[in-house]
Amino acid sequence: MLSAAIALGVARLFAAFLGPASDPVLAVGATAIDAAPQPVKAWAIRTFGTADKLVLLTGVYAVLTAAAAAIGVAAFQRRRYGLLGLAAFSGIGVTAILTRPTATALDTLPTLGGAAVGAAAMLLLLRTATTNSPGTAGRPRLLNRRQFLVTAAGTTATAAGAATAGTTLAARNAAGSRSRATVVLPAPMQPAATLPADTSAGVDGVAPFITANRDFYRVDTALTVPQVDVDRWRLTLEGAVDRPRTWRFDELLARGLMERDLTLNCVSNEVGGPYIGTARWSGVPLAPLLREAGIRPGQNQLVSRAVDGMTIGTPLAAILDGRDAMLAVAMNGEPLPLDNGFPVRMLVPGLYGYVGACKWLTAMTVTTFDAFDTYWVERGWAPDAPVKTASRIDTPKPFTRRPAGPVMIAGVAWAQRRGITAVQVQIDDGPWQTARLAAGPSPDLWRQWAYRWDATPGSHTIRVRASDSTGTTQPEQRRTPYPDGATGWHSITLTIT
């Protein structure tokens, strides 16, 4: 375990200079995410929420610890067993790194360097711990406890120092934070419309109309947030276009920004789930960029690629039909947070994020759905995923106790591109009652709603459903998010005393 610790510590230190893609633990974790079956991914998001990545990395370290202990026992019997075990795990790390979309051969150096130092540490520890004179039943015996403990303490300190130095250097070398601090955004040429005075239901506990950046959900496969220097960042547009183009960040800003309030939600959101939020986004209109490039006939997909290799496929028709599709550079009045895609992300209203909201964008390719399957489509998700009409109860919370009398039931409802026209609440098996809707300035935004209930003692079940401008009411039948978004009525149970 000490040999493994120093190998990983040295690898972390080397990776601080080459970037997170060269860290073997992160590479193995990312490979595990890619290889995990869809039900496992859904269970992890549902169970651990935004802590899913921490849980995964904890699991990787736990497996490494157990394997290192087993290799150590074998090494105490035959040194070559320990070296072979260390070589095998280094091979796993190298393989995981080379399978990452943006990896190069240079990225394997931290793993190889860490393995070399780990092997040296293993031989040193074995030399101080054992003698060639056989012990009980012919096994090697401990030669000098004090010498071994001193060597082990030195190994531990070296491992901890290397890992700490690597972590500190990685944070200091984080190009994204430094670069973001220097960005000065121009005022939008197309400001967002002024919001009505009443955009909330006026009830405590309901999600605010605009979600603060710090509270905005994050769902992606990146174990570490990509760090992008805007001075080096480039965006390319290629594929089936007559005039491919590459932009620098300042060239993109010079085209002029539009500002819009848009609600974004993740397809992984279960009925009543938290993976949805509204922000005031500023960005460059996307449709003009594509039209200027000259899209060739027969193309129907825009493939977006992130700096970490993630691919997102968006129907071209959804970008070109007049909606406010953009390359967003700002969120709620400030440059995009690193977690939310700095320096540039795509946003296409009315589509779930995995179809229309590529973060850390660096390339766009015009193609067809027949020619290319993106990351999530390869894993069975639908290639086109318009947002479904849905609603959520924010207050009261499930399983709470309230005194008899007036109780405000309230929450949010959404149907991007169509807009919410009605929300109804049902108490137990009684008739559906119409809730009061807050202002709805755009069909691309969610709406708060509220209903006053004269509660009577007992256990009660509350349900909610919403209708959109097409006259469609969300269905009762519960369906999981896979493969194109969850359906069903959100319900809670509470006790009135």
Side-chain angles (χ1 to χ4, degrees):
M1 289 192 291
L2 290 172
S3 301
I6 197 169
L8 292 175
V10 169
R12 170 65 60 84
L13 179 59
F14 288 172
F17 297 96
L18 292 179
S22 63
D23 188 306
V25 173
L26 297 180
V28 168
T31 303
I33 291 175
D34 292 349
Q38 172 52 39
V40 174
K41 284 187 174 73
W43 172 82
I45 293 174
R46 183 172 61 252
T47 305
F48 303 114
T50 55
D52 56 349
K53 298 174 180 62
L54 175 61
V55 172
L56 172 64
L57 289 177
T58 301
V60 171
Y61 281 112
V63 171
L64 284 172
T65 301
I71 292 172
V73 171
F76 202 72
Q77 306 302 318
R78 295 285 188 276
R79 294 186 181 187
R80 65 176 178 271
Y81 293 164
L83 294 176
L84 287 173
L86 184 58
F89 269 85
S90 300
I92 293 173
V94 167
T95 301
I97 288 170
L98 291 178
T99 58
R100 306 317 303 153
T102 60
T104 66
L106 192 65
D107 290 325
T108 64
L109 291 182
T111 302
L112 297 175
V117 175
M122 178 184 291
L123 294 175
L124 177 63
L125 288 165
L126 285 170
R127 188 174 67 183
T128 61
T130 59
T131 177
N132 292 327
S133 301
T136 305
R139 296 176 181 175
R141 61 185 175 85
L142 193 64
L143 176 63
N144 188 323
R145 295 178 185 274
R146 180 175 298 175
Q147 184 180 2
F148 174 75
L149 290 175
V150 169
T151 306
T155 303
T156 302
T158 303
T164 301
T167 301
T168 302
L169 283 172
R172 188 174 298 168
N173 293 339
S177 298
R178 297 197 315 270
S179 186
R180 183 175 181 269
T182 66
V183 170
V184 178
L185 297 171
M189 296 177 63
Q190 303 177 44
T194 302
L195 293 176
D198 176 23
T199 53
S200 79
V203 180
D204 291 339
V206 178
F209 187 76
I210 295 292
T211 309
N213 289 357
R214 66 179 179 276
D215 299 327
F216 213 89
Y217 76 89
R218 178 192 169 194
V219 177
D220 53 57
T221 63
L223 288 176
T224 58
V225 177
Q227 299 285 330
V228 183
D229 184 342
V230 292
D231 292 333
R232 298 183 177 182
W233 176 87
R234 298 293 185 270
L235 174 63
T236 61
L237 174 60
E238 55 193 5
V241 293
D242 296 328
R243 293 171 291 280
R245 178 72 193 275
T246 299
W247 293 271
R248 299 191 308 269
F249 188 70
D250 58 338
E251 291 175 329
L252 207 60
L253 296 185
R255 294 183 62 91
L257 304 182
M258 70 174 177
E259 184 182 63
R260 296 291 185 268
D261 298 318
L262 301 173
T263 297
L264 179 65
N265 48 321
C266 180
V267 74
S268 298
N269 212 23
E270 299 279 354
V271 172
Y275 302 131
I276 182 170
T278 294
R280 176 159 286 189
W281 309 90
S282 295
V284 177
L286 178 55
L289 290 178
L290 299 180
R291 291 194 173 100
E292 290 170 15
I295 301 172
R296 294 173 187 165
Q299 310 308 305
N300 58 14
Q301 179 179 210
L302 181 68
V303 174
S304 307
R305 191 175 299 274
V307 297
D308 64 349
M310 170 60 68
T311 55
I312 298 291
T314 308
L316 276 172
I319 299 173
L320 302 174
D321 67 0
R323 69 186 74 188
D324 292 321
M326 70 170 75
L327 302 180
V329 298
M331 181 178 181
N332 291 330
E334 61 182 68
L336 286 175
L338 301 186
D339 285 357
N340 282 282
F342 178 83
V344 177
R345 71 176 297 169
M346 181 187 292
L347 285 179
V348 182
L351 299 179
Y352 288 115
Y354 86 98
V355 172
C358 183
K359 297 194 285 189
W360 310 298
L361 182 67
T362 189
M364 300 182 294
T365 304
V366 174
T367 182
T368 66
F369 284 104
D370 290 338
F372 188 84
D373 286 338
T374 52
Y375 181 91
W376 291 111
V377 174
E378 285 183 329
R379 288 154 178 79
W381 291 83
D384 187 8
V387 173
K388 291 179 167 61
T389 302
S391 53
R392 185 181 75 194
I393 301 170
D394 287 345
T395 184
K397 297 298 182 184
F399 309 115
T400 55
R401 301 173 69 86
R402 293 288 187 92
V407 172
M408 293 303 297
I409 305 169
V412 289
W414 57 91
Q416 287 94 310
R417 301 304 301 151
R418 302 177 302 280
I420 293 295
T421 55
V423 171
Q424 295 178 308
V425 175
Q426 184 187 52
I427 311 298
D428 300 322
D429 294 320
W432 287 94
Q433 305 292 337
T434 301
R436 172 176 57 84
L437 289 178
S442 166
D444 290 331
L445 297 169
W446 61 5
R447 295 185 74 173
Q448 279 80 357
W449 57 268
Y451 175 75
R452 183 183 182 277
W453 171 40
D454 292 322
T456 58
S459 177
H460 298 280
T461 298
I462 304 173
R463 302 177 185 87
V464 64
R465 67 184 184 187
S467 300
D468 61 36
S469 62
T470 68
T472 301
T473 299
Q474 66 181 105
E476 177 183 6
Q477 182 182 8
R478 283 281 186 119
R479 285 182 50 199
T480 62
Y482 184 82
D484 60 356
T487 63
W489 297 340
H490 187 212
S491 64
I492 65 167
T493 298
L494 76 164
T495 299
I496 300 299
T497 59

